[in-house]
Amino acid sequence: MTHKQLSSVLIANRGEIALRIVRACQELGVTSVVAYSEADRDTLAVKLADKAVCIGPASSAKSYQDPRAIISAALAYKVDAIHPGYGFLSEKPDFVEMCEAEGVGFVGPAASIIRSMGDKIEAKKIARRAGVPVVPGSDGAIDDYDQAVAVARDVGYPLLIKASAGGGGRGMRVVESAETLESDLAQIMSEAETAFGDRSVYLERYLTDIRHIEIQVMSDGDSTVHFGERDCTAQRRNQKLVEEAPSPVLDPQLREQLAAASVALCREVAYRNAGTVEFVFDNIERQFYFIEMNTRIQVEHPVSEMVSGIDLIKLQLEIAAGNPLPFAQEDISIRGHAIECRINAEDPAEGFRPSPGRIETFRAPGGFGVRLDSHVESGYTIPPFYDSMIGKLIVWGNDRDEAISRALRALNEMHVEGITTTAALHAAILDSEVFRSGRFNTAFVADFLSSE
Ligand code: ADP
Ligand code: ADP
Ligand code: MG
Protein backbone atom coordinates (compact mmCIF):
# COMPACT_ATOMS: atom_id res chain seq x y z
CA MET A 1 0.00 0.00 0.00
CA THR A 2 1.27 3.46 -0.79
CA HIS A 3 1.99 5.79 2.09
CA LYS A 4 -0.60 8.51 2.58
CA GLN A 5 0.21 11.96 3.88
CA LEU A 6 -1.91 14.79 5.23
CA SER A 7 -1.05 18.05 3.52
CA SER A 8 -2.31 20.38 6.25
CA VAL A 9 -3.69 20.22 9.77
CA LEU A 10 -5.60 22.75 11.87
CA ILE A 11 -4.46 22.70 15.49
CA ALA A 12 -7.52 23.49 17.62
CA ASN A 13 -5.73 24.04 20.90
CA ARG A 14 -3.24 26.25 22.71
CA GLY A 15 -0.26 26.19 25.02
CA GLU A 16 2.24 23.39 25.12
CA ILE A 17 0.10 20.88 23.25
CA ALA A 18 -0.43 23.24 20.29
CA LEU A 19 3.35 23.64 20.11
CA ARG A 20 3.85 19.89 20.45
CA ILE A 21 1.58 19.29 17.45
CA VAL A 22 3.26 22.05 15.39
CA ARG A 23 6.58 20.30 15.95
CA ALA A 24 5.21 16.92 14.83
CA CYS A 25 3.71 18.51 11.70
CA GLN A 26 7.02 20.12 10.81
CA GLU A 27 8.89 16.84 11.05
CA LEU A 28 6.32 15.16 8.82
CA GLY A 29 6.22 17.97 6.27
CA VAL A 30 2.58 18.71 7.08
CA THR A 31 1.49 22.36 6.92
CA SER A 32 0.43 23.44 10.41
CA VAL A 33 -2.32 26.00 10.94
CA VAL A 34 -2.74 27.09 14.55
CA ALA A 35 -6.17 28.32 15.65
CA TYR A 36 -5.68 30.94 18.37
CA SER A 37 -7.80 33.21 20.52
CA GLU A 38 -7.18 36.94 20.86
CA ALA A 39 -5.41 36.25 24.16
CA ASP A 40 -2.92 33.88 22.49
CA ARG A 41 -1.71 35.98 19.57
CA ASP A 42 1.85 36.20 20.91
CA THR A 43 2.46 32.56 21.72
CA LEU A 44 5.19 30.25 20.57
CA ALA A 45 2.81 27.91 18.72
CA VAL A 46 1.51 30.85 16.68
CA LYS A 47 5.05 32.04 15.96
CA LEU A 48 6.38 28.64 14.92
CA ALA A 49 3.39 27.36 12.92
CA ASP A 50 3.29 27.73 9.15
CA LYS A 51 0.00 29.61 9.43
CA ALA A 52 -2.21 30.95 12.22
CA VAL A 53 -5.83 31.99 12.32
CA CYS A 54 -7.63 33.95 15.01
CA ILE A 55 -10.81 32.11 15.93
CA GLY A 56 -12.34 34.44 18.51
CA PRO A 57 -12.01 36.25 21.82
CA ALA A 58 -10.16 35.09 24.91
CA SER A 59 -13.15 33.25 26.37
CA SER A 60 -12.67 29.63 25.36
CA ALA A 61 -16.44 29.17 25.00
CA LYS A 62 -16.23 31.61 22.08
CA SER A 63 -12.96 30.32 20.62
CA TYR A 64 -11.32 26.96 21.46
CA GLN A 65 -14.58 25.40 22.55
CA ASP A 66 -16.74 26.84 19.79
CA PRO A 67 -17.26 24.11 17.17
CA ARG A 68 -18.41 26.59 14.51
CA ALA A 69 -15.41 28.85 14.93
CA ILE A 70 -13.07 25.87 14.56
CA ILE A 71 -14.89 24.29 11.59
CA SER A 72 -15.04 27.66 9.78
CA ALA A 73 -11.29 28.07 10.17
CA ALA A 74 -10.70 24.51 8.94
CA LEU A 75 -12.84 25.12 5.85
CA ALA A 76 -11.31 28.54 5.15
CA TYR A 77 -7.80 27.09 5.25
CA LYS A 78 -8.87 23.90 3.44
CA VAL A 79 -7.05 21.66 5.91
CA ASP A 80 -7.25 17.90 5.63
CA ALA A 81 -7.78 17.35 9.33
CA ILE A 82 -8.17 18.95 12.76
CA HIS A 83 -5.97 17.92 15.67
CA PRO A 84 -7.89 18.72 18.87
CA GLY A 85 -5.08 18.11 21.42
CA TYR A 86 -6.55 17.42 24.88
CA GLY A 87 -9.36 19.21 26.71
CA PHE A 88 -11.54 21.66 24.70
CA LEU A 89 -13.19 19.82 21.75
CA SER A 90 -11.08 16.67 21.93
CA GLU A 91 -13.84 14.50 23.39
CA LYS A 92 -16.95 16.20 22.03
CA PRO A 93 -18.81 13.79 19.73
CA ASP A 94 -21.10 16.51 18.34
CA PHE A 95 -18.06 18.39 17.12
CA VAL A 96 -16.62 15.27 15.51
CA GLU A 97 -19.96 14.69 13.77
CA MET A 98 -19.74 18.21 12.37
CA CYS A 99 -16.27 17.43 11.04
CA GLU A 100 -17.58 14.22 9.51
CA ALA A 101 -20.48 16.10 7.88
CA GLU A 102 -18.17 18.79 6.48
CA GLY A 103 -15.66 16.25 5.17
CA VAL A 104 -12.89 17.50 7.45
CA GLY A 105 -10.73 14.81 9.03
CA PHE A 106 -10.46 14.49 12.79
CA VAL A 107 -7.31 13.23 14.47
CA GLY A 108 -9.02 10.78 16.79
CA PRO A 109 -11.66 8.07 16.75
CA ALA A 110 -15.11 8.24 15.15
CA ALA A 111 -17.80 10.31 16.89
CA SER A 112 -19.70 7.17 17.87
CA ILE A 113 -16.71 5.78 19.81
CA ILE A 114 -16.07 9.10 21.56
CA ARG A 115 -19.74 9.25 22.53
CA SER A 116 -19.88 5.80 24.07
CA MET A 117 -16.53 6.03 25.86
CA GLY A 118 -17.21 9.60 27.04
CA ASP A 119 -20.26 8.31 28.86
CA LYS A 120 -18.54 6.60 31.78
CA ILE A 121 -21.54 4.39 32.53
CA GLU A 122 -21.60 3.14 28.94
CA ALA A 123 -17.81 2.72 28.95
CA LYS A 124 -18.01 0.45 31.98
CA LYS A 125 -20.65 -1.66 30.22
CA ILE A 126 -18.39 -2.03 27.19
CA ALA A 127 -15.48 -2.95 29.47
CA ARG A 128 -17.56 -5.66 31.15
CA ARG A 129 -18.57 -6.99 27.74
CA ALA A 130 -14.90 -7.15 26.77
CA GLY A 131 -14.12 -9.14 29.92
CA VAL A 132 -12.26 -6.28 31.59
CA PRO A 133 -12.64 -6.04 35.38
CA VAL A 134 -14.44 -2.87 36.54
CA VAL A 135 -14.72 -1.24 39.97
CA PRO A 136 -17.65 -2.82 41.88
CA GLY A 137 -20.64 -0.49 41.93
CA SER A 138 -23.96 0.22 40.28
CA ASP A 139 -24.65 -1.56 36.99
CA GLY A 140 -25.76 1.67 35.38
CA ALA A 141 -27.10 5.11 36.22
CA ILE A 142 -28.58 5.83 39.62
CA ASP A 143 -31.82 7.73 39.19
CA ASP A 144 -32.95 8.23 42.76
CA TYR A 145 -32.14 7.81 46.42
CA ASP A 146 -33.89 4.43 46.77
CA GLN A 147 -31.74 2.94 44.04
CA ALA A 148 -28.62 4.38 45.67
CA VAL A 149 -29.56 2.83 49.01
CA ALA A 150 -29.94 -0.57 47.37
CA VAL A 151 -26.53 -0.35 45.69
CA ALA A 152 -24.90 0.95 48.88
CA ARG A 153 -26.19 -2.11 50.72
CA ASP A 154 -24.25 -4.36 48.32
CA VAL A 155 -21.15 -2.26 47.80
CA GLY A 156 -20.67 -0.81 51.28
CA TYR A 157 -19.06 2.44 52.47
CA PRO A 158 -17.13 4.54 51.67
CA LEU A 159 -18.79 5.02 48.30
CA LEU A 160 -17.91 7.23 45.37
CA ILE A 161 -20.60 9.02 43.38
CA LYS A 162 -19.32 9.79 39.89
CA ALA A 163 -20.86 11.89 37.14
CA SER A 164 -21.10 9.89 33.93
CA ALA A 165 -19.90 12.92 31.96
CA GLY A 166 -17.20 13.90 34.46
CA GLY A 167 -13.58 14.58 33.60
CA GLY A 168 -10.50 16.55 34.53
CA GLY A 169 -10.84 15.38 38.14
CA ARG A 170 -14.28 16.98 38.45
CA GLY A 171 -17.65 15.34 39.06
CA MET A 172 -16.80 13.00 41.93
CA ARG A 173 -17.84 12.85 45.57
CA VAL A 174 -16.95 10.46 48.37
CA VAL A 175 -19.79 9.33 50.64
CA GLU A 176 -18.47 8.26 54.02
CA SER A 177 -21.67 6.84 55.47
CA ALA A 178 -25.39 6.32 54.89
CA GLU A 179 -26.20 9.54 56.75
CA THR A 180 -25.08 11.81 53.93
CA LEU A 181 -25.96 9.61 50.94
CA GLU A 182 -29.18 11.47 50.12
CA SER A 183 -27.69 14.97 50.28
CA ASP A 184 -24.45 13.95 48.52
CA LEU A 185 -26.44 12.37 45.71
CA ALA A 186 -28.59 15.46 45.22
CA GLN A 187 -25.56 17.70 45.28
CA ILE A 188 -23.46 15.80 42.74
CA MET A 189 -26.46 15.48 40.39
CA SER A 190 -27.00 19.20 40.36
CA GLU A 191 -23.26 19.89 40.03
CA ALA A 192 -23.09 17.50 37.08
CA GLU A 193 -26.06 19.20 35.48
CA THR A 194 -24.37 22.60 35.79
CA ALA A 195 -20.86 21.51 34.81
CA PHE A 196 -21.56 18.95 32.09
CA GLY A 197 -25.24 19.44 31.17
CA ASP A 198 -25.88 15.84 32.15
CA ARG A 199 -27.10 14.78 35.60
CA SER A 200 -26.45 11.05 35.18
CA VAL A 201 -24.41 9.62 38.01
CA TYR A 202 -23.30 6.16 39.10
CA LEU A 203 -21.83 4.60 42.22
CA GLU A 204 -18.52 2.87 42.79
CA ARG A 205 -16.82 1.42 45.80
CA TYR A 206 -14.39 4.07 47.02
CA LEU A 207 -11.07 2.27 47.07
CA THR A 208 -8.64 3.74 49.57
CA ASP A 209 -5.27 2.14 48.94
CA ILE A 210 -4.87 2.40 45.19
CA ARG A 211 -2.59 3.51 42.43
CA HIS A 212 -3.68 4.99 39.09
CA ILE A 213 -2.17 2.98 36.25
CA GLU A 214 -3.07 3.50 32.60
CA ILE A 215 -2.17 1.91 29.29
CA GLN A 216 -1.32 3.93 26.18
CA VAL A 217 -2.85 2.37 23.09
CA MET A 218 -2.81 3.14 19.39
CA SER A 219 -5.11 1.50 16.85
CA ASP A 220 -5.54 1.77 13.13
CA GLY A 221 -9.08 0.39 13.12
CA ASP A 222 -7.89 -3.17 12.54
CA SER A 223 -5.07 -3.77 14.97
CA THR A 224 -4.06 -2.25 18.27
CA VAL A 225 -0.66 -1.87 19.87
CA HIS A 226 0.15 -0.68 23.37
CA PHE A 227 3.12 1.23 24.74
CA GLY A 228 3.06 -0.18 28.24
CA GLU A 229 1.77 1.62 31.29
CA ARG A 230 2.05 5.01 32.93
CA ASP A 231 1.75 5.32 36.66
CA CYS A 232 -0.13 8.50 37.64
CA THR A 233 -0.62 7.81 41.32
CA ALA A 234 0.85 11.16 42.44
CA GLN A 235 -2.33 13.21 42.24
CA ARG A 236 -3.87 16.19 43.97
CA ARG A 237 -7.67 16.32 44.10
CA ASN A 238 -7.93 13.49 41.56
CA GLN A 239 -5.74 15.40 39.12
CA LYS A 240 -2.37 14.11 38.04
CA LEU A 241 0.76 15.92 39.21
CA VAL A 242 3.61 13.51 38.44
CA GLU A 243 3.52 10.61 35.99
CA GLU A 244 6.07 7.91 35.37
CA ALA A 245 6.75 4.83 33.28
CA PRO A 246 7.13 2.01 34.00
CA SER A 247 5.10 1.69 37.20
CA PRO A 248 7.29 0.89 40.22
CA VAL A 249 4.82 -1.77 41.42
CA LEU A 250 3.87 -3.94 38.44
CA ASP A 251 5.38 -7.33 37.73
CA PRO A 252 5.59 -8.69 34.16
CA GLN A 253 2.48 -10.81 34.58
CA LEU A 254 0.25 -7.96 35.82
CA ARG A 255 1.67 -5.67 33.14
CA GLU A 256 0.72 -8.20 30.50
CA GLN A 257 -2.79 -8.57 31.94
CA LEU A 258 -3.37 -4.81 31.95
CA ALA A 259 -2.15 -4.49 28.39
CA ALA A 260 -4.24 -7.44 27.21
CA ALA A 261 -7.36 -5.98 28.88
CA SER A 262 -6.74 -2.63 27.17
CA VAL A 263 -6.25 -4.18 23.76
CA ALA A 264 -9.42 -6.28 24.25
CA LEU A 265 -11.38 -3.11 25.03
CA CYS A 266 -10.10 -1.46 21.84
CA ARG A 267 -11.02 -4.51 19.83
CA GLU A 268 -14.54 -4.47 21.30
CA VAL A 269 -15.23 -1.04 19.76
CA ALA A 270 -12.93 -1.25 16.70
CA TYR A 271 -10.97 1.64 18.16
CA ARG A 272 -8.96 4.05 16.00
CA ASN A 273 -6.09 6.43 16.77
CA ALA A 274 -4.57 7.17 20.21
CA GLY A 275 -6.29 6.30 23.45
CA THR A 276 -5.64 5.68 27.10
CA VAL A 277 -7.30 2.99 29.14
CA GLU A 278 -7.31 4.02 32.81
CA PHE A 279 -7.33 1.64 35.76
CA VAL A 280 -7.11 1.83 39.51
CA PHE A 281 -4.81 -0.77 41.02
CA ASP A 282 -5.54 -2.05 44.51
CA ASN A 283 -2.26 -2.19 46.42
CA ILE A 284 -3.42 -4.86 48.87
CA GLU A 285 -5.30 -7.25 46.59
CA ARG A 286 -2.95 -6.44 43.69
CA GLN A 287 -6.00 -6.39 41.46
CA PHE A 288 -6.79 -3.80 38.77
CA TYR A 289 -10.14 -2.32 37.77
CA PHE A 290 -11.05 -0.27 34.69
CA ILE A 291 -12.30 3.26 35.45
CA GLU A 292 -12.48 5.05 32.10
CA MET A 293 -11.02 5.46 28.64
CA ASN A 294 -9.78 8.79 27.30
CA THR A 295 -10.27 8.86 23.54
CA ARG A 296 -7.55 11.41 22.83
CA ILE A 297 -3.88 12.12 23.36
CA GLN A 298 -3.18 12.74 27.03
CA VAL A 299 -1.14 15.37 28.81
CA GLU A 300 1.35 12.76 30.02
CA HIS A 301 1.93 11.00 26.67
CA PRO A 302 5.64 12.06 26.63
CA VAL A 303 6.63 9.58 29.33
CA SER A 304 5.56 6.75 27.02
CA GLU A 305 7.43 8.39 24.15
CA MET A 306 10.61 8.58 26.20
CA VAL A 307 10.61 4.91 27.18
CA SER A 308 9.46 3.60 23.78
CA GLY A 309 11.33 6.01 21.51
CA ILE A 310 8.17 6.52 19.45
CA ASP A 311 6.61 9.91 18.63
CA LEU A 312 2.93 9.39 19.44
CA ILE A 313 1.71 12.63 17.84
CA LYS A 314 3.36 11.78 14.53
CA LEU A 315 1.81 8.34 14.79
CA GLN A 316 -1.62 9.92 15.37
CA LEU A 317 -1.19 12.00 12.21
CA GLU A 318 -0.03 8.97 10.20
CA ILE A 319 -3.10 7.01 11.25
CA ALA A 320 -5.43 9.95 10.62
CA ALA A 321 -4.00 10.08 7.09
CA GLY A 322 -5.31 6.54 6.58
CA ASN A 323 -2.11 4.54 7.05
CA PRO A 324 -2.02 1.27 8.98
CA LEU A 325 0.18 0.97 12.06
CA PRO A 326 3.75 0.90 10.72
CA PHE A 327 4.92 -1.71 13.26
CA ALA A 328 3.71 -4.63 15.33
CA GLN A 329 3.62 -5.10 19.10
CA GLU A 330 6.89 -7.03 19.13
CA ASP A 331 8.66 -4.05 17.54
CA ILE A 332 7.91 -1.89 20.59
CA SER A 333 10.31 -2.21 23.49
CA ILE A 334 10.32 -0.24 26.71
CA ARG A 335 13.70 0.97 27.87
CA GLY A 336 14.71 2.83 31.04
CA HIS A 337 12.48 5.05 33.14
CA ALA A 338 10.71 8.36 32.46
CA ILE A 339 9.13 10.89 34.83
CA GLU A 340 6.98 13.90 34.00
CA CYS A 341 6.24 16.87 36.27
CA ARG A 342 3.32 19.09 35.31
CA ILE A 343 4.55 22.60 36.10
CA ASN A 344 1.69 24.96 36.92
CA ALA A 345 1.63 28.71 37.42
CA GLU A 346 0.17 28.32 40.90
CA ASP A 347 1.23 29.13 44.42
CA PRO A 348 1.23 26.00 46.61
CA ALA A 349 1.64 28.19 49.71
CA GLU A 350 -1.63 29.96 48.90
CA GLY A 351 -3.83 26.95 48.34
CA PHE A 352 -2.61 26.55 44.75
CA ARG A 353 -4.04 29.93 43.76
CA PRO A 354 -3.35 30.57 40.05
CA SER A 355 -0.41 32.90 39.46
CA PRO A 356 -0.84 34.34 35.96
CA GLY A 357 1.16 37.34 34.79
CA ARG A 358 4.35 38.26 33.04
CA ILE A 359 7.34 35.93 33.14
CA GLU A 360 10.29 38.30 33.38
CA THR A 361 12.92 35.66 32.83
CA PHE A 362 12.65 32.01 31.98
CA ARG A 363 15.61 29.65 31.95
CA ALA A 364 14.83 26.23 30.56
CA PRO A 365 16.66 23.20 31.94
CA GLY A 366 18.64 21.08 29.49
CA GLY A 367 21.20 18.35 29.19
CA PHE A 368 21.13 14.59 28.66
CA GLY A 369 17.73 13.01 29.07
CA VAL A 370 15.88 16.28 29.74
CA ARG A 371 12.86 17.37 27.72
CA LEU A 372 10.78 20.46 28.33
CA ASP A 373 7.43 20.67 26.55
CA SER A 374 6.46 24.27 27.18
CA HIS A 375 5.13 27.28 25.31
CA VAL A 376 6.55 29.87 27.69
CA GLU A 377 9.63 32.05 27.29
CA SER A 378 11.10 35.19 28.86
CA GLY A 379 8.70 38.12 28.47
CA TYR A 380 5.64 35.89 27.96
CA THR A 381 2.49 36.89 29.81
CA ILE A 382 0.37 33.99 31.05
CA PRO A 383 -3.25 34.92 30.39
CA PRO A 384 -5.69 34.34 33.26
CA PHE A 385 -8.33 32.64 31.09
CA TYR A 386 -7.04 29.10 30.75
CA ASP A 387 -5.50 26.12 32.48
CA SER A 388 -2.55 27.06 34.69
CA MET A 389 -0.12 24.47 33.28
CA ILE A 390 2.91 26.29 31.83
CA GLY A 391 4.84 23.24 30.78
CA LYS A 392 5.90 19.71 31.43
CA LEU A 393 9.36 18.63 32.44
CA ILE A 394 10.03 15.11 31.24
CA VAL A 395 13.22 13.24 32.05
CA TRP A 396 14.55 9.88 31.01
CA GLY A 397 17.03 7.74 32.96
CA ASN A 398 18.39 4.22 32.72
CA ASP A 399 16.48 3.38 35.87
CA ARG A 400 14.09 5.08 38.30
CA ASP A 401 16.85 6.38 40.59
CA GLU A 402 18.65 8.02 37.72
CA ALA A 403 15.40 9.54 36.45
CA ILE A 404 14.68 11.02 39.90
CA SER A 405 18.18 12.52 40.21
CA ARG A 406 17.92 13.95 36.74
CA ALA A 407 14.48 15.44 37.41
CA LEU A 408 15.77 17.08 40.59
CA ARG A 409 18.80 18.44 38.76
CA ALA A 410 16.59 19.83 35.96
CA LEU A 411 13.99 21.31 38.34
CA ASN A 412 16.81 23.09 40.11
CA GLU A 413 18.16 24.38 36.82
CA MET A 414 14.82 25.74 35.71
CA HIS A 415 14.43 29.35 36.72
CA VAL A 416 11.23 31.37 36.43
CA GLU A 417 11.01 34.99 37.55
CA GLY A 418 7.84 37.06 37.76
CA ILE A 419 5.30 34.39 38.65
CA THR A 420 5.07 31.52 41.15
CA THR A 421 5.22 27.93 39.93
CA THR A 422 4.87 24.47 41.39
CA ALA A 423 8.46 23.51 40.42
CA ALA A 424 9.83 23.62 43.98
CA LEU A 425 6.95 21.48 45.20
CA HIS A 426 7.75 18.92 42.53
CA ALA A 427 11.35 18.81 43.73
CA ALA A 428 10.21 18.30 47.33
CA ILE A 429 7.87 15.50 46.31
CA LEU A 430 10.44 13.70 44.15
CA ASP A 431 13.08 14.05 46.84
CA SER A 432 10.86 12.60 49.57
CA GLU A 433 11.58 9.17 50.98
CA VAL A 434 8.10 7.95 50.14
CA PHE A 435 8.32 8.93 46.48
CA ARG A 436 11.80 7.46 46.21
CA SER A 437 10.56 4.20 47.70
CA GLY A 438 7.97 3.92 44.93
CA ARG A 439 5.49 2.62 47.51
CA PHE A 440 2.58 5.02 47.87
CA ASN A 441 -1.06 5.50 46.91
CA THR A 442 -3.29 8.27 45.56
CA ALA A 443 -3.40 9.91 49.01
CA PHE A 444 0.36 10.46 49.00
CA VAL A 445 0.45 14.07 47.76
CA ALA A 446 -2.30 15.20 50.15
CA ASP A 447 -0.47 13.53 53.05
CA PHE A 448 2.79 15.08 51.93
CA LEU A 449 1.24 18.57 51.75
CA SER A 450 -0.33 18.33 55.18
CA SER A 451 2.92 17.08 56.75
CA GLU A 452 5.02 19.95 55.37
P1 ADP B 1 -5.06 13.66 31.09
O1 ADP B 1 -6.31 12.83 31.22
O2 ADP B 1 -4.63 13.94 29.71
O3 ADP B 1 -4.00 13.19 31.96
P2 ADP B 1 -6.59 15.68 32.36
O4 ADP B 1 -7.54 14.66 32.86
O5 ADP B 1 -5.99 16.62 33.35
O6 ADP B 1 -5.37 15.08 31.62
O7 ADP B 1 -7.33 16.46 31.20
C1 ADP B 1 -6.65 17.15 30.20
C2 ADP B 1 -7.24 18.50 30.04
O8 ADP B 1 -8.59 18.41 29.69
C3 ADP B 1 -7.17 19.34 31.27
O9 ADP B 1 -6.92 20.67 30.86
C4 ADP B 1 -8.56 19.19 31.87
O10 ADP B 1 -8.89 20.32 32.62
C5 ADP B 1 -9.40 19.06 30.63
N1 ADP B 1 -10.60 18.21 30.76
C6 ADP B 1 -10.67 16.88 30.58
N2 ADP B 1 -11.94 16.44 30.69
C7 ADP B 1 -12.69 17.51 30.97
C8 ADP B 1 -14.09 17.72 31.20
N3 ADP B 1 -14.99 16.74 31.15
N4 ADP B 1 -14.50 18.95 31.47
C9 ADP B 1 -13.61 19.97 31.52
N5 ADP B 1 -12.31 19.84 31.29
C10 ADP B 1 -11.84 18.64 31.02
P1 ADP C 1 -11.50 11.82 35.36
O1 ADP C 1 -12.42 11.63 34.22
O2 ADP C 1 -11.75 13.06 36.11
O3 ADP C 1 -10.07 11.62 34.98
P2 ADP C 1 -11.39 9.17 36.60
O4 ADP C 1 -12.56 8.26 36.60
O5 ADP C 1 -10.30 8.87 35.65
O6 ADP C 1 -11.91 10.66 36.38
O7 ADP C 1 -10.80 9.24 38.07
C1 ADP C 1 -9.83 10.20 38.41
C2 ADP C 1 -9.11 9.75 39.67
O8 ADP C 1 -10.03 9.59 40.76
C3 ADP C 1 -8.43 8.41 39.56
O9 ADP C 1 -7.14 8.53 38.98
C4 ADP C 1 -8.36 7.95 41.01
O10 ADP C 1 -7.30 8.57 41.70
C5 ADP C 1 -9.66 8.50 41.56
N1 ADP C 1 -10.71 7.46 41.52
C6 ADP C 1 -11.51 7.17 40.49
N2 ADP C 1 -12.35 6.15 40.78
C7 ADP C 1 -12.05 5.78 42.05
C8 ADP C 1 -12.56 4.78 42.96
N3 ADP C 1 -13.57 3.98 42.63
N4 ADP C 1 -12.01 4.72 44.20
C9 ADP C 1 -11.02 5.55 44.57
N5 ADP C 1 -10.50 6.49 43.77
C10 ADP C 1 -11.00 6.63 42.51
MG1 MG D 1 -9.27 9.94 34.21
Side-chain angles (χ1 to χ4, degrees), residues 260-281:
S262 305
V263 171
L265 184 63
C266 291
R267 190 166 302 133
E268 185 68 33
V269 295
Y271 197 74
R272 226 178 104 86
N273 219 288
T276 300
V277 186
E278 296 194 331
F279 300 90
V280 289
F281 176 73

Side-chain angles (χ1 to χ4, degrees), residues 120 167-169 172 212 214 238 240 278 291-292 294 296 298:
K120 291 181 171 186
M172 263 182 264
H212 173 113
E214 59 188 34
N238 301 318
K240 300 159 187 166
E278 296 194 331
I291 49 171
E292 67 156 343
N294 292 142
R296 55 170 162 89
Q298 273 184 304

Side-chain angles (χ1 to χ4, degrees), residues 3 5 40 49 64 72 128 134 156 186 220 254 309 318 352 367 369 386 390 450:
H3 179 256
Q5 160 111 10
D40 283 335
Y64 300 110
S72 306
R128 273 195 216 97
V134 300
D220 60 14
L254 271 168
E318 292 285 3
F352 292 84
Y386 313 106
I390 61 162
S450 64

Side-chain angles (χ1 to χ4, degrees), residues 56-322:
S59 160
S60 68
K62 293 181 178 147
S63 51
Y64 300 110
Q65 298 200 78
D66 178 357
R68 292 192 186 283
I70 301 293
I71 296 270
S72 306
L75 294 174
Y77 281 76
K78 298 187 168 57
V79 297
D80 293 331
I82 298 174
H83 196 310
Y86 51 71
F88 298 134
L89 296 175
S90 62
E91 291 175 290
K92 299 277 186 259
D94 294 349
F95 170 68
V96 181
E97 269 163 7
M98 283 173 71
C99 292
E100 288 166 3
E102 295 289 350
V104 179
F106 178 77
V107 183
S112 55
I113 294 177
I114 298 178
R115 180 166 286 121
S116 41
M117 286 300 183
D119 177 337
K120 291 181 171 186
I121 293 172
E122 178 67 18
K124 277 185 84 171
K125 285 185 186 153
I126 298 170
R128 273 195 216 97
R129 214 158 63 215
V132 177
V134 300
V135 185
S138 57
D139 279 334
I142 291 291
D143 299 316
D144 54 37
Y145 177 57
D146 289 345
Q147 246 182 310
V149 171
V151 174
R153 207 172 291 132
D154 287 347
V155 176
Y157 290 92
L159 268 180
L160 189 60
I161 311 177
K162 296 173 92 169
S164 192
R170 297 185 309 148
M172 263 182 264
R173 193 174 180 94
V174 181
V175 190
E176 297 293 349
S177 72
E179 279 146 58
T180 60
L181 180 60
E182 188 163 17
S183 57
D184 286 334
L185 186 68
Q187 182 153 353
I188 199 90
M189 279 176 151
S190 82
E191 276 174 24
E193 173 84 68
T194 312
F196 315 113
D198 175 358
R199 59 190 286 115
S200 324
V201 300
Y202 61 107
L203 296 182
E204 273 183 359
R205 175 178 299 157
Y206 182 63
L207 302 163
T208 49
D209 188 0
I210 51 161
R211 301 185 72 104
H212 173 113
I213 302 179
E214 59 188 34
I215 302 285
Q216 173 72 55
V217 294
M218 190 73 79
S219 307
D220 60 14
D222 290 322
S223 42
T224 298
V225 293
H226 69 85
F227 297 82
E229 80 279 10
R230 292 186 289 259
D231 190 313
C232 316
T233 302
Q235 303 181 347
R236 182 178 161 266
R237 298 187 171 172
N238 301 318
Q239 278 183 300
K240 300 159 187 166
L241 216 61
V242 179
E243 302 100 346
E244 60 183 308
S247 168
V249 299
L250 287 191
D251 53 50
Q253 196 193 339
L254 271 168
R255 177 170 289 126
E256 196 39 57
Q257 287 172 6
L258 272 165
S262 305
V263 171
L265 184 63
C266 291
R267 190 166 302 133
E268 185 68 33
V269 295
Y271 197 74
R272 226 178 104 86
N273 219 288
T276 300
V277 186
E278 296 194 331
F279 300 90
V280 289
F281 176 73
D282 190 305
N283 277 327
I284 308 296
E285 294 172 26
R286 291 187 66 74
Q287 167 71 45
F288 60 83
Y289 305 97
F290 169 83
I291 49 171
E292 67 156 343
M293 179 169 191
N294 292 142
T295 54
R296 55 170 162 89
I297 197 71
Q298 273 184 304
V299 173
E300 61 273 23
H301 74 277
V303 300
S304 302
E305 296 184 322
M306 300 312 276
V307 292
S308 69
I310 291 163
D311 185 323
L312 294 171
I313 306 283
K314 280 173 28 179
L315 197 51
Q316 279 195 295
L317 294 170
E318 292 285 3
I319 285 169

